[in-house]
């Protein structure tokens, strides 16, 4: 069992606002909006037609030719982000025993686009035309499997499914594995379900907005909020045991994954309080952090009036009215399902690095929510501790506390 801290030593991101950390952060820090009309399929027959898409991405520019036809877009993005995270950490093959490294990812819908394409072939051309890779390319665990194979990670491998909350759950599970004796876990989450099959699932789940103006569509904590905009992408980070970092003389440390907690909301109609406040308090207790020490909250920001109200009430219950800066950078990308919270974790550690809180794009804060929402422009601040919140469809709540490392 390890007694060392769990450190973030490498990051990789693929988001509508940028492929790669620097491009992503340059857009995020100023609140550049990446939401626009759906282009990945014909959405004209659907009531919702806006998304946060990654434009200009060609998997063949980054991955071996043999791997591209085997994988869905979501897996391709996850593989590239993982490559970037290892490069960022300065870890080369053979530097760490493969048995001491593992991977834990969060999944939203799996390889939805790949699955839809092969189903069309089956019904239109016959079963003989269906790719053999369909057997795994659609599956929730495919990202973990492909990342493990590509990077020779022979330690623990896992996948968690919890919508937006699942991204934090994956990082927490990775930390548990490290505490049991591993050295490094690649962890995070991705989603890329902007296809007609994935779109139907978003609509069936409820909560998606039918707004048509990209600049006034996804509006967390805004009086005009009418639902969320789906997006694609996510992030991978390397979580590493503190002793492992020292042993290999690692030079890059973004921060510590210091605290985590998860709860479930009570049954609808029970009259009981939602579970988010307890998740916040649990994460702070796990990290040994007083509420006054938290410098910023990266909120879940559902963009659904009831959920926004519940989240604002949970934040004020813990920190007091306008007691801590709050931001929702994902207002510029849409909600990325399993990829959303890992992207917020990357935002948090980059905010620590620069001393800057990115804004919530295009939002006019509602006075009904007594929170200090950062809007309009970035806010300069000393960020030493950041709280990331995530909620998933079905009542999942997760909270994680990130802390700067001197």
């Amino acid at each position: 069992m390890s007694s060392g801290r769990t450190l973030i030593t490498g990051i990789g991101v693929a988001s509508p606002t940028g492929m790669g950390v620097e491009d992503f952060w340059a857009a995020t820090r100023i609140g550049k909006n990446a939401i626009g009309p759906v282009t990945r399929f014909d959405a004209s027959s659907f009531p919702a037609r806006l998304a946060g898409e990654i434009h200009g991405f060609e998997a063949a520019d980054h991955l071996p030719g043999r791997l591209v036809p085997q994988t869905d877009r979501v897996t391709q993005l996850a593989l590239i982000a993982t490559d970037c995270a290892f490069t960022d950490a300065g870890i080369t093959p053979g530097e760490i025993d493969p048995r001491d490294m593992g991977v834990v990812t969060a999944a939203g819908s799996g390889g939805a686009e790949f699955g839809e394409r092969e189903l069309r072939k089956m019904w239109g051309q016959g079963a003989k035309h269906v790719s053999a890779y369909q057997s795994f390319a659609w599956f929730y665990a495919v990202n973990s499997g492909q990342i493990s194979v590509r990077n020779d990670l022979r330690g623990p491998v896992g996948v968690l499914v919890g919508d937006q909350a699942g991204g934090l759950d994956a990082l927490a599970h990775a930390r548990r594995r490290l505490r049991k004796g591993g050295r490094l876990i690649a962890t995070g989450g991705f989603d890329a379900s902007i296809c007609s099959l994935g779109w139907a699932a978003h609509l069936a789940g409820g909560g998606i907005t039918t707004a048509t103006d990209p600049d006034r569509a996804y509006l967390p904590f805004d009086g005009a909020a009418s639902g969320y905009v789906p997006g694609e992408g996510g992030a991978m980070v390397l979580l590493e045991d503190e002793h492992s970092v020292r042993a290999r003389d690692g030079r890059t440390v973004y921060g510590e994954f210091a605290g985590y907690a998860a709860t479930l909301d009570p049954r609808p109609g029970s009259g009981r309080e939602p579970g988010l406040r307890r998740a916040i308090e649990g994460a702070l207790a796990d990290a040994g952090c007083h509420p006054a020490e938290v410098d910023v909250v990266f909120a879940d920001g559902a963009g659904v009036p009831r959920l926004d109200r519940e989240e604002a009430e949970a934040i004020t219950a813990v920190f007091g009215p306008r007691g801590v800066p709050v931001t929702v950078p994902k207002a510029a990308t849409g909600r990325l399902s399993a990829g959303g919270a890992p992207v917020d974790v990357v935002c948090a550690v980059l905010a620590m690095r620069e001393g800057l809180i990115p804004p919530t794009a295009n939002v006019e804060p509602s006075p009904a929510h007594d929170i200090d929402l950062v809007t309009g422009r970035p806010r300069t601040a000393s960020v030493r501790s950041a709280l990331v919140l995530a909620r998933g469809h079905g009542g999942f709540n997760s909270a994680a506390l990130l802390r700067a490392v001197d």
Side-chain angles (χ1 to χ4, degrees), residues 2-55:
S2 173
S3 59
R5 294 176 295 178
T6 298
L7 305 180
I8 299 171
T9 57
I11 55 180
V13 63
S15 161
T17 46
M19 288 285 295
V21 171
E22 298 308 322
D23 286 346
F24 162 76
W25 184 241
T28 301
R29 68 189 301 280
I30 61 172
K32 182 179 179 180
N33 190 25
I35 291 173
V38 172
T39 64
R40 294 199 54 75
F41 71 100
D42 182 4
S44 60
S45 63
F46 291 89
R49 301 171 190 171
L50 295 177
E53 296 182 335
I54 297 174
H55 295 290

Side-chain angles (χ1 to χ4, degrees), residues 91-112:
I91 296 174
T92 57
E95 184 174 356
I96 299 176
D97 190 321
R99 294 167 295 183
D100 288 332
M101 300 188 292
V103 55
V104 179
T105 66
S109 60

Side-chain angles (χ1 to χ4, degrees), residues 116-131:
E116 177 184 339
R117 183 174 64 246
E118 298 308 314
L119 286 172
R120 290 183 185 276
K121 289 180 183 178
M122 183 175 73
W123 295 117
Q125 300 172 266
K128 291 183 179 180
H129 293 271
V130 176
S131 169

Side-chain angles (χ1 to χ4, degrees), residues 24 85 104 190 201 238 279 308 354:
F24 162 76
V104 179
F190 271 84
L238 301 188
D308 285 351
E354 186 168 345

